[in-house]
Amino acid sequence: MHESASDSIISAVSDITASGRFVLRLPPPLHAALQEAAREAGVSLNAYCLRRLAAPGVRLEHADLAELVSRAASLAGRDLIGVAVFGSWARGNPTANSDIDALVVVEPGFALTRAAYRPWDADPPTVEGREVDAHIVRLPEMGSRVTGLWAEVAIDGLVVFERGLRLSSYLAAVRRSILAGRIERRTLHGQPYWHEVA
């Protein structure tokens, strides 16, 4: 089998003890795209790459998402478990009139009242010029019945912030239930719904 130049470089470099510093050679179009993303995020290219490589998932370089998390934190304070965006924007197919749905996940002791929504509704945050519609919810217990909202978020939601991995772990458990066929998406009169299979 023919070894490419990049494969031979990787083989040679893998025998070297890591110093913590390295030079990464990128194709010019990729380098330009990363530079632009770093500029938009208001950070250096180094800082941007470190953030992108630090952990999987959506990052907060996007200033609007950082503001969304900040607003959720001001709303829930220490009770904030996590924030996920879902719906058409998260799927990448919003219409001109689509808003952005955000799940604001809180601890069990947080009061889920209309008053909790008032500060958000009075001045809703925006992401890319789209209003963000908050859904303040408690994190269900593992093994509890999965509602349609949680199934939808598990399928196309993007976690933009969480403390620990409680939110991601729950969404992963829901996805496993869907993959195992324990939860199915069905349609009735043109409307989708989720059904637990007996």
Side-chain angles (χ1 to χ4, degrees):
M1 183 169 84
H2 179 69
E3 184 178 48
S4 71
S6 62
D7 289 338
S8 60
I9 290 169
I10 290 168
S11 298
V13 171
S14 66
D15 296 330
I16 299 171
T17 303
S19 68
R21 295 178 174 194
F22 65 97
V23 174
L24 181 62
R25 287 175 175 69
L26 301 171
L30 177 57
H31 186 263
L34 287 170
Q35 280 184 316
E36 180 60 26
R39 256 193 307 278
E40 287 177 6
V43 297
S44 71
L45 180 57
N46 256 10
Y48 182 79
C49 290
L50 284 172
R51 288 182 189 178
R52 294 294 295 179
L53 294 170
V58 177
R59 307 296 182 281
L60 295 182
E61 293 90 10
H62 193 306
D64 290 347
L65 291 177
E67 176 60 23
L68 167 60
V69 171
S70 177
R71 288 290 302 278
S74 67
L75 182 142
R78 298 172 71 95
D79 286 324
L80 183 65
I81 292 174
V83 178
V85 292
F86 65 102
S88 61
W89 185 82
R91 286 192 303 271
N93 61 355
T95 66
N97 299 321
S98 294
D99 63 2
I100 295 175
D101 291 299
L103 206 63
V104 177
V105 186
V106 295
E107 296 283 4
F110 186 83
L112 296 179
T113 64
R114 188 65 221 144
Y117 285 88
R118 284 193 188 110
W120 192 285
D121 292 344
D123 183 24
T126 60
V127 172
E128 296 180 350
R130 298 174 186 275
E131 229 174 69
V132 178
D133 186 23
H135 304 265
I136 306 171
V137 297
R138 294 187 181 115
L139 187 65
E141 291 183 21
M142 286 288 192
S144 62
R145 182 181 171 279
V146 177
T147 66
L149 173 66
W150 283 102
E152 292 294 332
V153 175
I155 292 296
D156 64 20
L158 303 171
V159 175
V160 296
F161 169 79
E162 65 181 331
R163 288 180 12 237
L165 291 173
R166 291 161 61 193
L167 176 55
S168 290
S169 296
Y170 181 75
L171 293 173
V174 173
R175 285 190 293 274
R176 285 192 299 274
S177 290
I178 293 168
L179 287 170
R182 292 189 295 271
I183 308 168
E184 293 180 341
R185 193 170 202 229
R186 297 181 178 178
T187 304
L188 181 65
H189 304 297
Q191 297 300 315
Y193 70 97
W194 288 88
H195 172 76
E196 280 194 287
V197 178

